[in-house]
Amino acid sequence: MAEDLVRVETAGRTAIVRLNRPQKLNALSHAVETQLDAAIRSDAVRGSAAVVVAGEGRAFCAGADVSEFVDASPGGILAYYETLGEVYERIAILPQPTIGAIHGYCLGGGFELALALDLRVADETALFGLPEVAIGIVPSSGGTYRLTRALGPARAKELILLRDRFDAAEALRLGVVAEVTPAGEALVRALELAERIAALPPLAVRVAKQAIDAAAESPRHAALMVERLAYATLSQTHDADEAARAFVDKREPRFEGR
Ligand code: COA
């Protein structure tokens, strides 16, 4: 039987996707990526209101499996991005919010996996870095693209070319993570945030996520039109009506996702 390199669990309405290759600091081998892809297609993830991604052992993830770089050919690499290498994009476009719970090393492809998520919570042991250029390549699981979008080109260049490692406090200052927790508490905090999101009206959550992602890629007029159309649709949902009625009746709303 195939080794259990990625585990999916459920906590409340949240799915936890856990990298489970601790003896190799959760290095992203093709086998791990294959199971990560299966994990995000699993019923547990599809049926969840939010997804938390975490790592087993002493690190979130030490990056792409360097031992698989040997024998890479241009054709093989292009084929990889047409198939398995797309997993980071498939994670980025999951409809429900995704949160990274980061501890220990978060390097290279592991950092890029974290950047493909909507939010990141790190504990104070987290160490971030993009070692790719130092080993003669570049971040290529969406890293140059997403860091540039998130932080701007100057910061992206600083992190990719100049910063060997940076800690959780620095990640917070840069805006790479939303919060820093004491050691060992990133997953608990990520789950708290995920459950807060899970309590919100689910259609509004999903549309808000997608409207924000579309806004990041769109001219002003198109972005505003998207949010107005989103409002026009959401305002007609049962849940929006229920929220207004509950306010008037001074009671808690009961959302049904319709
Ligand atoms: N790919 C493959 N294996 C990796 C790995 C990676 N990216 N990162 C760690 N491992 C393996 C190590 O080879 C080691 O395996 P072994 O016990 O069979 O020898 C095991 O994980 C533990 O790592 P180790 O190096 O012993 O731990 P450490 O605490 O001394 O150092 C790191 C941790 C992260 C500093 C170090 O492992 C490292 O530099 N890894 C490569 C990071 C990297 O370049 N990632 C980006 C690739 S683009």
Side-chain angles (χ1 to χ4, degrees):
M1 213 177 91
E3 211 183 339
D4 208 1
L5 297 169
V6 178
R7 288 198 181 138
V8 183
E9 300 148 55
T10 300
R13 283 168 286 185
T14 302
I16 306 172
V17 173
R18 204 189 291 256
L19 303 176
N20 183 41
R21 198 189 178 204
Q23 69 283 9
K24 295 286 183 188
L25 306 184
N26 297 319
L28 296 158
S29 62
H30 293 168
V32 171
E33 289 174 331
T34 301
Q35 291 193 26
L36 190 55
D37 203 30
I40 63 168
R41 296 168 196 267
S42 66
D43 289 345
V45 167
R46 290 160 84 106
S48 67
V51 178
V52 168
V53 179
E56 190 63 49
R58 67 182 167 99
F60 175 74
C61 176
D65 191 318
V66 179
S67 69
E68 292 183 352
F69 288 179
V70 187
D71 294 335
S73 67
I77 290 170
L78 285 180
Y80 163 79
Y81 285 115
E82 286 165 11
T83 54
L84 205 47
E86 269 285 303
V87 64
Y88 304 95
E89 296 314 303
R90 287 193 279 275
I91 289 170
I93 61 166
L94 280 172
Q96 67 275 64
T98 54
I99 304 176
I102 297 164
H103 73 291
Y105 292 111
C106 181
L107 303 177
F111 190 6
E112 294 180 273
L113 168 61
L115 289 170
L117 306 171
D118 296 316
L119 296 171
R120 287 149 292 281
V121 174
D123 83 6
E124 60 196 13
T125 70
L127 267 183
F128 298 83
L130 291 159
E132 286 88 346
V133 171
I135 58 171
I137 52 175
V138 291
S140 54
S141 297
T144 60
Y145 171 76
R146 273 190 262 279
L147 261 190
T148 304
R149 290 270 165 177
L151 306 182
R155 279 281 191 226
K157 289 169 193 164
E158 186 189 336
L159 297 197
I160 290 169
L161 299 177
L162 281 173
R163 295 290 186 97
D164 188 19
R165 301 270 160 80
F166 58 96
D167 65 12
E170 183 69 348
L172 184 66
R173 194 182 69 78
L174 290 165
V176 168
V177 301
E179 288 186 29
V180 177
T181 73
E185 290 178 25
L187 179 57
V188 172
R189 182 61 181 149
L191 286 171
E192 276 172 16
L193 298 180
E195 283 300 301
R196 266 175 52 191
I197 289 170
L200 296 168
L203 294 178
V205 167
R206 288 173 180 232
V207 171
K209 168 174 172 168
Q210 289 170 62
I212 293 164
D213 284 340
E217 310 283 339
S218 309
R220 171 183 163 278
H221 192 76
L224 290 177
M225 185 55 104
V226 166
E227 73 175 32
R228 289 169 188 173
L229 292 174
Y231 167 72
T233 306
L234 289 168
S235 65
Q236 296 174 61
T237 60
H238 165 275
D239 287 350
D241 187 50
E242 163 66 4
R245 284 177 197 278
F247 178 78
V248 172
D249 297 348
K250 300 190 188 306
R251 62 174 173 79
E252 286 298 310
R254 285 179 300 272
F255 298 125
E256 296 178 10
R258 63 185 177 90

